Amino acid sequence: DKEHNFSNRRAGLIKALTGAVDDFYEQCDPDKENLCLYGNPDGTWEVQLPAEEVPPELPEPALGINFARDGMQRKDWLALVAVHSDAWLMAVAFYYGAKFDGKERERLFKSINSLPTVYETLSGKAAVKVKATSKKAVAAVVPEGQPPAKKARVEDAHPTPSAAGLRKPSPGFILRADGSLVALNNAHIELFWPDDQLWYRAEVVSLNSRARSAKVLYATGDVETLSIDEIASEGHLNVCT
């Protein structure tokens, strides 16, 4: 499934540039040889030398991203890597799509275009801004066929997860408000959206124990910052085991 392949590779790249950004930054040592950032089909990421095969099995990502690291502001360098990552994702997707007919390529592009780019996610341009008025669900504009925003969050940003929701939470435990946050560190969680009556999977990529907030990465690659106690007070956060 080429759409699933694209989505997972994209999620891996976003993880490298957000939740695992310090690790990614350290791996891009300018003293090493030409390095590339790869997003893998299983949703992971890696910094590696380019493929030795000529021509390569797949289009290659931008070469030598590590050489520019210390010559730019960190934010600008990450943005540059994000833009090149988007270009690489498109190249891989349409490498696979070269054998598609017109309708299949159109469907692939529509699926890709329904997701924010890596750059849009990194820069925050993908976020839908809303006014936080209460703990009740608020309206937000999201792509057709995707679940509406669950509630106001920290930073007032709403993701648009399109991965299939679950009617019941997976094995685990419902986090209590004001409880310990230790179990959330790098945890796989599920969030309940009342409007859909469904649970959506996400991964905690960073945790702020003092502010009691967490940045989570959805299966689509969308990133959201959560106010933990607000959601836990309603019993809407399941920690998977």
Side-chain angles (χ1 to χ4, degrees), residues 51-114:
E52 295 182 359
E53 297 89 349
V54 178
E57 181 180 354
L58 289 175
E60 285 290 298
L63 179 67
I65 57 173
N66 51 315
F67 295 148
R69 192 195 72 174
D70 292 349
M72 302 175 65
Q73 292 290 330
R74 173 166 164 153
K75 181 179 179 181
D76 294 338
W77 178 72
L78 291 173
L80 179 64
V81 174
V83 170
H84 279 291
S85 296
D86 284 318
W88 175 68
L89 284 172
M90 293 292 287
V92 172
F94 282 92
Y95 172 85
Y96 285 125
K99 297 181 180 179
F100 289 176
D101 62 26
K103 289 185 177 180
E104 289 174 320
R105 284 194 298 273
E106 183 178 8
R107 186 181 67 180
L108 175 62
F109 179 75
K110 285 183 177 180
S111 174
I112 291 172
N113 210 35
S114 69

Side-chain angles (χ1 to χ4, degrees), residues 26-75:
E26 288 300 319
Q27 290 190 38
C28 291
D29 187 345
D31 293 331
K32 295 182 179 179
E33 296 184 42
N34 291 300
L35 295 175
C36 302
L37 172 61
Y38 293 87
N40 296 321
D42 62 357
T44 60
W45 63 274
E46 59 183 335
V47 174
Q48 292 288 351
L49 294 170
E52 295 182 359
E53 297 89 349
V54 178
E57 181 180 354
L58 289 175
E60 285 290 298
L63 179 67
I65 57 173
N66 51 315
F67 295 148
R69 192 195 72 174
D70 292 349
M72 302 175 65
Q73 292 290 330
R74 173 166 164 153
K75 181 179 179 181

Side-chain angles (χ1 to χ4, degrees), residues 38-210:
Y38 293 87
N40 296 321
D42 62 357
T44 60
W45 63 274
E46 59 183 335
V47 174
Q48 292 288 351
L49 294 170
E52 295 182 359
E53 297 89 349
V54 178
E57 181 180 354
L58 289 175
E60 285 290 298
L63 179 67
I65 57 173
N66 51 315
F67 295 148
R69 192 195 72 174
D70 292 349
M72 302 175 65
Q73 292 290 330
R74 173 166 164 153
K75 181 179 179 181
D76 294 338
W77 178 72
L78 291 173
L80 179 64
V81 174
V83 170
H84 279 291
S85 296
D86 284 318
W88 175 68
L89 284 172
M90 293 292 287
V92 172
F94 282 92
Y95 172 85
Y96 285 125
K99 297 181 180 179
F100 289 176
D101 62 26
K103 289 185 177 180
E104 289 174 320
R105 284 194 298 273
E106 183 178 8
R107 186 181 67 180
L108 175 62
F109 179 75
K110 285 183 177 180
S111 174
I112 291 172
N113 210 35
S114 69
L115 299 171
T117 64
V118 176
Y119 173 74
E120 286 173 333
T121 303
L122 179 68
S123 65
K125 292 183 178 181
V128 178
K129 298 298 181 180
V130 298
K131 183 178 181 181
T133 55
S134 69
K135 290 186 178 180
K136 296 181 180 180
V138 295
V141 178
V142 296
E144 182 180 355
Q146 297 189 10
K150 176 177 180 290
K151 61 180 72 180
R153 311 285 195 186
V154 174
E155 298 180 0
D156 299 337
H158 294 267
T160 55
S162 59
L166 305 171
R167 294 192 178 279
K168 295 182 179 180
S170 301
F173 63 91
I174 302 299
L175 189 73
R176 296 184 304 173
D178 302 322
S180 172
L181 303 184
V182 174
L184 286 180
N185 191 33
N186 296 319
H188 290 274
I189 63 174
E190 292 165 348
L191 299 166
F192 183 72
W193 289 37
D195 289 350
D196 298 352
Q197 292 295 300
L198 293 173
W199 295 83
Y200 291 96
R201 293 190 178 97
E203 179 183 352
V204 178
V205 294
S206 67
L207 185 65
N208 187 330
S209 298
R210 178 173 295 180

Side-chain angles (χ1 to χ4, degrees), residues 206-228:
S206 67
L207 185 65
N208 187 330
S209 298
R210 178 173 295 180
R212 296 185 68 81
S213 65
K215 182 175 290 186
V216 302
L217 176 69
Y218 286 91
T220 58
D222 294 298
V223 178
E224 182 184 25
T225 301
L226 307 175
S227 176
I228 297 171

